[in-house]
Amino acid sequence: LVARGFERQITLSHDQIGVLGGRQVPLACSTRAFSYLWETVLPALRAAGIGAAAIDTMLIENPRRLLCREAG
């Protein structure tokens, strides 16, 4: 998707709820730690050739644009 120019439509995040056995559970009970995005996903994106600017767009700019809209 990034190679096709869609990085402005992708938001990377990590929450504290996972699905285990068909039910929602805190991630402390699942196999993925809170560091999963930083230790696994981001290195994989970099290894795939995704640049720092695209990663910053997905991690910082897109959430800012989506979550910090001015009241109007």
Side-chain angles (χ1 to χ4, degrees), residues 10-11 14 21 24-26 46 49 51 63 72:
I10 301 169
T11 299
H14 198 295
Q24 288 187 347
V25 295
R46 291 181 189 108

Side-chain angles (χ1 to χ4, degrees), residues 3-39:
R4 292 181 179 224
F6 288 101
E7 68 265 9
R8 287 185 47 86
Q9 284 83 13
I10 301 169
T11 299
L12 301 176
S13 67
H14 198 295
D15 62 25
Q16 62 185 28
I17 300 297
V19 177
L20 185 63
R23 61 187 174 87
Q24 288 187 347
V25 295
L27 278 175
C29 298
S30 77
T31 59
R32 294 197 175 142
F34 288 105
S35 60
Y36 182 77
L37 177 67
W38 306 103
E39 294 178 354

Side-chain angles (χ1 to χ4, degrees), residues 42-65:
L42 295 180
L45 291 175
R46 291 181 189 108
I50 305 300
I55 290 172
D56 284 351
T57 296
M58 294 183 284
L59 277 177
I60 301 166
E61 294 172 28
N62 293 344
R64 180 184 297 141
R65 191 176 69 253

